[in-house]
Amino acid sequence: MSNLLQQLLLPLLLPAILSIFFILPSLMHAKSVIEPCTSSDSCTSLLSYILPFDSKISEIAYRFQVNITDILATNSITPAIPTLGNKILRANSLVKIPISCPCVDGIRRSVSTEYIVRAADTAESIADGYGGLVSAEQIGIVNGINAKNPLLSRQSLVIPLPCTCFDNSNNGITTVYMSYVVQRGESLSSIGLEFGATVMDLEAINGLGQPVVDPGDIRAVPISACSSANLNWYNESLIVPNGSYALAANNCIKCICGTDDLNLQCFPSGNTAPCSRLQCKGSSLFIGDAYVQHTVAGNCNVTTCVYRGHTGRKIFRSLASSSQCPDKHKAASSTISGSPMSSRDPVVPFITVLSPSPSPSPSPSPSPAYFNPSSTIGTGTASGPTSYKQINSYISGDGGRLLGEASCYNLLLPALLLHYFMW
């Protein structure tokens, strides 16, 4: 009878036992970096969001409670048409989401995203919509969801999202940190190659003893950025990740962070909104324009109309002088035989170059140069997976305890005991 019972039950239990062994490593190793904090300040942070399904840009903005224009700016997309928010992005596209990262209960995390429960929702289906950035367990803990307090239709939930600040600095360079969900087949080396970080940097930032990551891990990736800290702006500060732009002064000014020199360059955005005070006093130069005079000795006298911040509708600007000659390639791309032309390079200001002259006088400046590149949101790495799914829970929302390990052992122990007594 005992042998017969073993023969009947073993085929049923074996798949469950094997599945636990295969799932256990991913549950135990899925984790995230936690940044302790004590201050009440917040910083700009990024989420690397891999779309779990086709979504409009407007839907993504609503999902994370951010402005459409902020998503476009972070992903270097210029709104060429008013209906760009209705553009559908395909599943598996990678979209950078800008979020504010405050200090909450002693750790850095974002709690500004809310979700309204629909009739067919479960904690798991809600978590799936955020592409592995949050787990069902986290949603349940933060919102007190359990067997006695189930989800209710039209209930408002707080969605806790991972973020880090680390003083917006990395090795002395202004940095914005992006929370990245590790995908199957990826390594620290491949992640660093995609986002311009070294394996040593990623190890140090994430507190790793060895360069090993697992699918579902949430890792902080440093993105070098431009800062307005040393630009003498009035009552305004700005940090822009490289390769992105930001709108300032009621969307009248666009500030771009170049990928090469990390210098913040600002000029009129070209938006349809009425903007005034874009021209520097006593000059024909507009914000972002430069006038370059080459001297007989081969040096340069450069005059630039620079943005200095704003208050209300008032835009501050001033003329700045420099003796540093502009990059020849940049100057050539924006001038033809000494005649100015509109710049189409997002990191090149409008430059007027004049040959040496005993008594030069600035030539009239044309209309402000506008940036209107045609760019798209990129997808994941070529070596990445063909599908991106949430792997499992990583960090609980109550201060950073790892979930999954204990629950796996609770499932594994009875199965092993049953298997032992049967034999």
Side-chain angles (χ1 to χ4, degrees), residues 82-243:
T83 58
L84 189 58
N86 292 324
K87 178 180 175 61
I88 296 177
L89 303 180
R90 297 305 174 189
N92 302 331
S93 297
L94 189 152
V95 183
K96 295 176 183 177
I97 307 294
I99 60 169
S100 178
C101 184
C103 183
V104 180
D105 297 330
I107 63 171
R108 293 283 182 187
R109 60 175 174 171
S110 173
V111 290
S112 59
T113 299
E114 295 184 358
Y115 182 88
I116 304 300
V117 179
R118 295 173 295 186
D121 279 338
T122 64
E124 288 75 15
S125 67
I126 295 171
D128 287 343
Y130 290 91
L133 290 165
V134 65
S135 69
E137 288 85 352
Q138 283 179 293
I139 293 174
I141 291 171
V142 171
N143 294 279
I145 303 301
N146 51 47
K148 294 183 178 179
N149 298 293
L151 286 177
L152 300 175
S153 181
R154 303 182 64 81
Q155 180 181 357
S156 177
L157 299 179
V158 173
I159 306 298
L161 296 169
C163 65
T164 50
C165 292
F166 296 124
D167 296 324
N168 282 127
S169 179
N170 181 41
N171 297 323
I173 298 174
T174 301
T175 301
V176 172
Y177 288 89
M178 180 175 67
S179 297
Y180 182 81
V181 182
V182 178
Q183 306 299 320
R184 194 171 300 280
E186 290 185 327
S187 64
L188 278 187
S189 178
S190 66
I191 295 171
L193 186 63
E194 181 175 1
F195 297 107
T198 66
V199 172
M200 186 177 298
D201 257 355
L202 292 175
E203 283 186 67
I205 291 167
N206 291 278
L208 300 178
Q210 52 186 348
V212 177
V213 290
D214 295 286
D217 285 357
I218 311 291
R219 292 304 172 197
V221 176
I223 307 294
S224 53
C226 298
S227 173
S228 64
N230 299 321
L231 298 181
N232 297 321
W233 283 12
Y234 175 82
N235 195 32
E236 185 177 12
S237 62
L238 201 62
I239 295 179
V240 183
N242 78 76

Side-chain angles (χ1 to χ4, degrees), residues 292 294 326-343 345 348-349 351-353:
V292 182
H294 289 283
D327 185 277
K328 291 182 179 180
H329 298 292
K330 292 184 179 182
S333 68
S334 56
T335 59
I336 294 181
S337 302
S339 301
M341 64 177 291
S342 295
S343 169
D345 188 331
V348 179
I351 302 176
T352 300
V353 181

Side-chain angles (χ1 to χ4, degrees), residues 268-318:
S269 65
N271 287 347
T272 56
C275 301
S276 59
R277 300 176 180 271
L278 301 180
Q279 187 174 356
C280 279
K281 284 184 178 181
S283 168
S284 57
L285 300 178
F286 286 80
I287 292 175
D289 292 349
Y291 167 73
V292 182
Q293 176 205 353
H294 289 283
T295 65
V296 178
N299 299 321
C300 292
N301 293 323
V302 182
T303 302
T304 308
C305 181
V306 295
Y307 175 66
R308 295 297 189 190
H310 81 287
T311 177
R313 291 286 175 179
K314 185 176 182 179
I315 297 176
F316 297 95
R317 68 272 182 229
S318 67

